[in-house]
Each structure stands twice: as structure tokens, then as C-alpha cells.
Amino acid sequence: MTSPTPASHRSTPDAALVPAVFLASPPSDDELQAWADEIRAIEEGQSEPDWNELFSDDSTPWPVSHDLDSPGEDAAAVSESEADARPIDLVHTLVAVAVRRRQHTAEEYRLMTLILDRAVADPDPWVGPDPTLDHAWEDSRGRSVAAVRRDRADLAERAAAAEIAVHLRLAEQTVRTRVGHARTLQARCGLAWRAFLDGRISESHAIRIARLAGSLPDDREAWTAFDTGATERAERAERLTPSSFDTAARALREKVHAESIEERHRRAALDRGVWLTAELDGMATLTALLPADRAHAAMTRLDRAARHLATADGEERTLAQLRADAVADLLAGGSVAERPAAAPAPTAGDSKASGSGRPTVVVTVPSLTLLGRDDTPATVDGYGPIDLDTARRLAGGASSWIRVLTHPVTGVPLALDRTRYRVTTALRRWLGVTSPTCVFPGCARPARDCDIHHLTAWADGGATDHDNLEPECRHHHRLRHETKWEPLKNPGDVDLRWRSPLGHEIEVDPPPF
């Protein structure tokens, strides 16, 4: 039994199955404006979307019910037509829905790219008028006209990416990454880009193609060969799952790549690094990007140590647990400790795990929690909540304590003298508690890695105290000074807001912890 042929596979697309926005000819500016007005009206509650009309066409022969007021009710309910439908008909409908979802995703990529491309072509709405057009203009930093215009285009693109990110609740890097993938597909893999817009390949396939095509040298023949091999020959991208396609596409890349693998390896090794990702329940993932030979050597050593520990009497840990304990011991203390199975794994507070060069870990513990009179969780700087036993043990092993002086009645941290401009270490620590991350919406860079910004400039009489200081990462600090992004905080206000270049006001994110 064969699956239905989606409309995008046919030589002549069926207009009933392909929304107008995805037809070969792009929508007009009037159509785009009409869609934008309709979406804005829905967002502002001025109109309700007709979900049945939106989701019903020849590929969906049954009515679709989307009750926005009670999304959890009747989740498993089906219409009378669906109850009587054959399983193959339901599968056919599912395929049609998947095709439309892919098309909508591709259209998101296209519109993001269009917005950023227009920002580069016309920076004025994002960064203000071009000062180089004034014949009397001189740059205070000594830049040439060309350099200033390049900076304006770059900042406009960054400001536009931030605008998209705060509206879609995405990270700015996610927006820029998606636009980068779309630009790569448009420039190097036209067949794959068309297949993505048509819904014939998924977002995962498109990303894999873009990443691999982006790593090819500046050679149009290589791009065409890779695009054709990945998209047309044997229809690899359409027939294979993402993981299977990835294997085939990497092999295809090797065939068309003109540069030697030795040279590529030397360049790729420059990207090596280690990353920490917070997980649930007091856990974290440590990821390392290493040259393959060293990674395999490290894994072999860990496996050998784990298998040796597994032979000890009373050992009940699995090999996976033993490998994890071994890598923690080696990185934190320099040697693998043999412990009976009943003993707890070493943690950051154990002297045996930490060795003589114990790293500094910033832990915030409410005093009542420390005394056992409250269960408010402690937090580790840059990670989040940890269990109370670990927090008490870390506090008990601390060699020093840091106090924050506050008003005896209000509890507000005391302001510093107006004559001091520089932010003291104690005040920076306090800001790290009240604003753990950059205050730009959606930015998760830890406050310890941020610039401390005076909301009211020091030169304009702004004080160096907690209610006039906020952490901003270097990127968003630059956007604040060199584009139309502007922080807003009225006297007496507690919460900070941002005004975007297009005039939208966005509240800062709530504290993560």
C-alpha cells in the first residue's frame, strides 16, 4: 500500500492543498499587510480565528475542533466522520497536516530572512538617520564612512533579530541561526530550499543540509553537486529519517569537498570547547567538543576505570554510573576514587573530589532554610535550585561568608555614596542575586559575565546604587547605546521595560530562580 502523494510532489500543485502563502509567486505587500492586521486583531482580542476554516480543505475532510477556552477537555474526542474513517484515511490526513506544518515552518524562516535583509538594506528604522550624509560629520572614533555604514548595517540586523526574538519568545541566536540556514539554502541549495518551502522535507533535514552546505568551500560546482545529491538523486532527504539522512549527507559532503580532510581538521579543532547545561533535579550535563582521537582516548580511559571499579566487592553501580563518577573524580580531584556502592558519589563540596584547589561556587541560601525553619530552595549561581542537604553541606564547608547590608525596616540594600562611580564587588554580588541574568528580554547570559549599566547615566546625576544599575551583556549594552532599543524605568517603578525600534514596549523576563 502506498502513501498519498502530497501536493508539493506533483508536477502541477493542487491549489486546494497548498495555502496561497506557499505558492510559487510570493504574496503581495497588500496581502502581507492584511495577514498582519488579522493576526494583530486576534492577538488583541478584537476577533476570533476561524479554526475550522483555517484547517479545513480537500486534504482534511473532517471538521477540526479547537476549543481555546478549554484546551484540556475532550482531547481524545473525534468527530462522527473521524470515528467512521478508515485508518488509512486518518494516516493520509496526518500526512497532509505534516506537510502544512513544514510549509509554515519554512515560511517563518523566509519571513525572518526578509526582515533581516531589509534591515541591512535600510538601517534607518533600526538605528536612526545616517550621520555620514552630513558633510560636516566627523566620527569620534576615527572610522571611515564605509566602516560606519558597515557597523550601521550590522547593528540594524542585530536590532531586527532582537525585535523578532522578543515577539516570538525565541533566543536571538536562534533567530540569527535560522536566518543563516535560510540564506545558505537560498544561495547554495536552491533545490533543498524549494523542497523545504513545499513541505517535502522537514526542518531537521533542511538544517542538516544548510550546515553541511555551509561548510563547503566557495565552489558553486560543489554546492550544486551536494544540493542535487541530497535532494534529487534517490530523493534522500524525502525518504530518509533525519539521522539516516545525516549519515548519507555527510558521506556526500566528503565526496564533493575539494579541501583535504587534514586541513579541515586543523581548522575545526579551533572550535573545541566544554559546555555546562543545567538539567532537572540538581543535575547537569557536561559536554566537550574534542578532536576525535582524543575524545576516543578519553572515553577508553573512562571505560577502563569503570570496568575496574565494577569488579570491587559490593559494587552495585552500573557501568554508565561508574563512568560518570570516574569523569567527575578525574576532573575535580585528579584520580579515580574506589568507593563501596553504598557511599554517595562525590560532589562539589567533598574535599576528596575538590582537592587542594577547590573552585569557587556561589551559593545563595536563605538563612531560615539554613537553620531548618524553611524549605525555600537554595540556588547555585548560573544553575538554579539545588537540594537543601547539598546547600547545607556547602555552607558548612564554606571558609567565609558574605553579608549584604540592608535597611533594617524595608530590607532594601543600602545605596552607596553618590561620589562613587565604580560598582563595588559587594554591590555586583547583590545585583547578581536580584538580576541573575542580562535584563534584556530573552537573554540568559549570567550577570557575572555582563556589564553593569547605569539606567540614568552617571553624567546625568544617576547614582551608583541597586535601583539605578542593571546587568546588560556586551551585545545588548551595545544595542542600547547604538540602536533605537531603549530601557524604560520611571522613578519609583520596580520593573524595567524596553522600547523596541518599532515602538513596542516589552517587559523584562521574570527572575529565573
Side-chain angles (χ1 to χ4, degrees):
M1 183 176 296
T2 59
S3 61
T5 303
S8 53
H9 283 215
R10 303 168 187 162
S11 57
T12 303
D14 185 344
L17 295 183
V18 183
V21 69
F22 302 115
L23 294 177
S25 58
S28 66
D29 289 342
D30 290 340
E31 289 173 321
L32 285 174
Q33 185 60 49
W35 294 334
D37 291 342
E38 182 178 353
I39 292 171
R40 186 179 299 108
I42 292 172
E43 289 178 341
E44 296 175 354
Q46 298 174 6
S47 68
E48 291 292 331
D50 187 343
W51 296 105
N52 282 315
E53 179 181 347
L54 178 63
F55 283 97
S56 62
D57 52 33
D58 290 347
S59 64
T60 310
W62 307 286
V64 180
S65 176
H66 292 268
D67 189 348
L68 298 182
D69 295 327
S70 55
E73 297 180 6
D74 299 328
V78 296
S79 67
E80 294 182 4
S81 299
E82 288 174 334
D84 297 334
R86 297 175 303 166
I88 187 59
D89 292 331
L90 293 173
V91 171
H92 289 179
T93 300
L94 176 61
V95 171
V97 169
V99 170
R100 290 201 303 277
R101 173 175 53 79
R102 295 171 183 173
Q103 290 172 327
H104 283 288
T105 300
E107 186 65 6
E108 277 191 17
Y109 276 66
R110 191 188 70 81
L111 289 172
M112 286 180 182
T113 306
L114 177 64
I115 293 170
L116 264 60
D117 286 348
R118 287 189 176 180
V120 171
D122 181 18
D124 287 9
W126 306 94
V127 298
D130 186 352
T132 65
L133 299 178
D134 183 353
H135 295 294
W137 168 82
E138 290 185 5
D139 185 58
S140 59
R141 287 184 274 174
R143 295 172 296 173
S144 66
V145 171
V148 169
R149 290 180 177 175
R150 283 196 303 270
D151 285 348
R152 282 171 49 80
D154 176 66
L155 287 166
E157 185 177 55
R158 291 169 181 259
E163 183 90 32
I164 294 172
V166 297
H167 280 285
L168 300 187
R169 295 295 185 264
L170 295 173
E172 287 174 55
Q173 186 57 44
T174 299
V175 174
R176 294 174 68 86
T177 297
R178 290 182 180 180
V179 170
H181 291 331
R183 286 171 173 167
T184 298
L185 291 174
Q186 291 170 348
R188 299 189 173 193
C189 298
L191 295 174
W193 177 241
R194 183 69 260 169
F196 188 26
L197 289 173
D198 288 344
R200 289 183 281 125
I201 64 174
S202 70
E203 181 183 15
S204 295
H205 290 88
I207 289 173
R208 283 167 166 81
I209 293 173
R211 285 176 175 170
L212 293 172
S215 69
L216 291 172
D218 191 5
D219 180 355
R220 187 161 297 278
E221 289 186 5
W223 303 346
T224 301
F226 178 76
D227 185 25
T228 303
T231 310
E232 280 199 339
R233 294 174 187 166
E235 295 180 324
R236 286 187 178 94
E238 297 182 39
R239 298 176 57 186
L240 299 176
T241 63
S243 58
S244 297
F245 171 73
D246 189 56
T247 301
R250 283 191 286 109
L252 177 62
R253 172 185 176 271
E254 289 298 323
K255 291 181 180 179
V256 303
H257 208 302
E259 193 175 14
S260 70
I261 192 171
E262 289 78 15
E263 180 60 33
R264 283 183 275 139
H265 173 69
R266 282 193 291 271
R267 187 169 58 251
L270 299 176
D271 294 329
R272 62 190 181 277
V274 179
W275 301 270
L276 182 69
T277 304
E279 304 291 354
L280 297 176
D281 303 324
M283 303 296 286
T285 296
L286 191 66
T287 305
L289 177 63
L290 303 169
D293 59 330
R294 302 192 68 182
H296 279 280
M299 192 64 189
T300 298
R301 184 181 180 190
L302 289 175
D303 188 66
R304 186 182 297 120
R307 292 181 184 279
H308 170 70
L309 293 173
T311 62
D313 293 338
E315 182 59 73
E316 297 180 357
R317 287 172 291 175
T318 66
L319 281 175
Q321 292 170 339
L322 288 166
R323 292 188 192 101
D325 291 344
V327 73
D329 285 339
L330 289 170
L331 292 177
S335 62
V336 177
E338 280 196 55
R339 297 181 308 280
T347 63
D350 291 337
S351 59
K352 179 166 59 177
S354 301
S356 58
R358 176 179 296 180
T360 299
V361 178
V362 179
V363 183
T364 302
V365 190
S367 57
L368 291 180
T369 296
L370 196 60
L371 296 173
R373 299 178 183 177
D374 195 5
D375 58 0
T376 302
T379 59
V380 172
D381 187 23
Y383 170 77
I386 59 173
D387 63 281
L388 300 184
D389 287 341
T390 299
R392 293 189 182 103
R393 179 171 43 74
L394 289 172
S399 59
S400 64
W401 292 80
I402 298 172
R403 294 183 300 171
V404 178
L405 298 179
T406 61
H407 190 281
V409 177
T410 66
V412 175
L414 296 177
L416 298 180
D417 194 301
R418 168 71 182 102
T419 60
R420 305 185 66 173
Y421 172 76
R422 295 181 62 84
V423 179
T424 65
T425 302
L427 183 54
R428 178 178 278 273
R429 285 197 181 103
W430 174 250
L431 291 171
V433 174
T434 58
S435 300
T437 63
C438 170
V439 293
F440 192 88
C443 185
R445 185 172 293 276
R448 64 176 179 271
D449 298 329
C450 293
D451 299 334
I452 302 299
H453 167 65
H454 285 71
L455 295 175
T456 300
W458 172 265
D460 296 332
T464 302
D465 57 31
H466 72 284
D467 60 359
N468 190 47
L469 298 172
E470 295 289 359
E472 294 176 8
C473 70
R474 184 59 54 86
H475 164 64
H476 290 120
H477 198 174
R478 190 181 180 198
L479 281 189
R480 180 254 183 275
H481 284 292
E482 300 188 42
T483 75
K484 290 185 175 182
W485 277 102
E486 178 185 9
L488 304 173
K489 189 175 184 180
N490 298 324
D493 285 354
V494 175
D495 297 327
L496 180 70
R497 293 167 292 119
W498 287 81
R499 180 184 290 129
S500 79
L502 300 187
H504 298 99
E505 291 192 6
I506 302 101
E507 295 182 355
V508 299
D509 297 340
F513 310 134

